[in-house]
Amino acid sequence: MPEGHTLHRLARLHQRRFARAPVLVSSPQGRFADGAAAVSGRVLRKASAWGKHLFHHYEGGRVVHVHLGLYGTFTEMPLPMPLPVGQVRMRMIGAEYGTDLRGPTVCEVIEEAEIDDVIARLGPDPLRRDADGSPAWERIRKSRRAIGSLLMDQTVIAGVGNVYRNELLYRHLIDPYRPGTQIDESEFKAMWTDLVALMKVGFRRGKIIVIRPEDDHGAPAYGPDRPRTYVYRRAGEPCRICGTEIRTAMMEGRNVFWCPTCQT
Ligand SMILES: [Zn+2]
């Protein structure tokens, strides 16, 4: 699943390629036909993101709200676009570029005022310029749930996915099963500051870079063209710092990875 930095990069790309000009919007697959008709031909004012939610703001107050979920993708291309292939929920065509959206969990037209309802259900987004971690801390300090699951809860912090969750906990030597009530404020503050910095790197570079330069050696990454990780998808391999076997388990439907020696 894409993490928040991917949505912020999409917002920036769509802003550069489509904003301040009329956009043709269609639904080749048909499932978004009414929504597309409601905004097609209008000027896209701007594109923005909050956590894993993307918003296309059109003149006149309508907004296309997209959540990619596990399988959603945008395919960007210069004009002229070829005929749609597969299940294209939404096709946007601007002056020079187009994009096809396939497989989103959410693709709907809402009113500008309804964005607040979406955001009200989300925690602070580390990538927003005005991001403030304190609402997340208020949730975490009172919760007996495992910090590993709290970090993935979009109502606590918006935009964190499985890679940042696992790697952040390793970087701060925190066991993913430790309850929120046993996290110190200083630990949370350090994690939040680090998360903001890590996600900004992800936004700038277009990939998740989580390993400190001094640890960026040894066994290769879990996949081709992927940066090294401390624990993510390294189950059974030795910890890069202490050599203990990295463990994995299911936590609320997603794999959690940790070093049982380093993380307490
Ligand atoms: Zn270790």
Side-chain angles (χ1 to χ4, degrees):
M1 180 182 293
E3 306 201 20
H5 68 293
T6 302
L7 278 301
H8 281 268
R9 284 176 67 85
L10 277 169
R12 183 178 63 174
L13 181 69
H14 292 169
Q15 170 90 23
R16 285 179 180 163
R17 291 190 165 178
F18 300 106
R20 293 180 293 280
V23 181
L24 290 177
V25 184
S26 62
S27 181
Q29 169 207 53
R31 280 182 61 186
F32 183 58
D34 291 349
V39 295
S40 188
R42 290 179 184 259
V43 171
L44 181 73
R45 281 200 307 111
K46 64 170 183 174
S48 69
W50 190 297
K52 299 180 182 180
H53 297 253
L54 178 69
F55 302 100
H56 290 154
H57 307 251
Y58 286 90
E59 271 187 9
R62 291 197 175 116
V63 178
V64 173
H65 167 218
V66 173
H67 191 291
L68 293 176
L70 271 178
Y71 305 110
T73 55
F74 277 100
T75 308
E76 316 285 340
M77 64 194 94
L79 300 188
M81 293 179 81
L83 287 174
V85 177
Q87 298 292 314
V88 178
R89 184 78 58 88
M90 176 175 76
R91 168 169 278 199
M92 286 175 72
I93 302 177
E96 292 177 61
Y97 293 93
T99 184
D100 280 344
L101 169 64
R102 294 182 179 80
T105 302
V106 176
C107 177
E108 62 177 4
V109 171
I110 61 177
E111 299 296 324
E112 192 79 39
E114 293 175 279
I115 293 178
D116 292 344
D117 301 339
V118 176
I119 291 171
R121 296 193 295 267
L122 299 172
D125 174 348
L127 283 173
R128 302 284 301 196
R129 214 173 305 156
D130 50 355
D132 170 14
S134 40
W137 169 239
E138 286 306 311
R139 289 281 306 278
I140 288 169
R141 63 189 278 265
K142 292 175 191 150
S143 176
R144 290 181 193 282
R145 285 169 62 201
I147 186 65
S149 101
L150 287 163
L151 288 178
M152 289 283 274
D153 182 338
Q154 300 297 299
T155 70
V156 176
I157 300 178
V160 175
N162 209 13
V163 188
Y164 283 127
R165 177 263 294 261
N166 282 296
E167 295 294 306
L168 188 70
L169 288 170
Y170 182 84
R171 286 168 65 94
H172 294 267
L173 308 178
I174 293 173
D175 183 329
Y177 286 92
R178 209 198 298 171
T181 49
Q182 287 177 34
I183 303 288
D184 293 339
E185 186 167 12
S186 60
E187 286 176 314
F188 173 78
K189 282 187 168 160
M191 271 201 291
W192 174 263
T193 304
D194 196 24
L195 182 62
V196 169
L198 289 172
M199 291 186 72
K200 279 184 178 163
V201 169
F203 175 69
R204 278 200 301 276
R205 303 281 299 272
K207 54 186 174 185
I208 296 178
I209 297 171
V210 285
I211 206 155
R212 296 181 180 97
E214 61 267 34
D215 300 327
D216 194 7
H217 53 76
Y222 59 89
D225 303 324
R226 301 292 171 146
R228 284 187 174 87
T229 52
Y230 286 107
V231 292
Y232 179 73
R233 288 183 58 178
R234 295 195 68 242
E237 292 183 51
C239 172
R240 293 187 188 278
I241 306 299
C242 77
T244 304
E245 249 185 43
I246 301 298
R247 291 182 59 186
T248 188
M250 288 298 268
M251 182 184 276
E252 296 183 13
R254 302 293 298 277
N255 285 306
V256 65
F257 302 88
W258 76 104
C259 170
T261 302
C262 291
Q263 293 174 259
T264 56

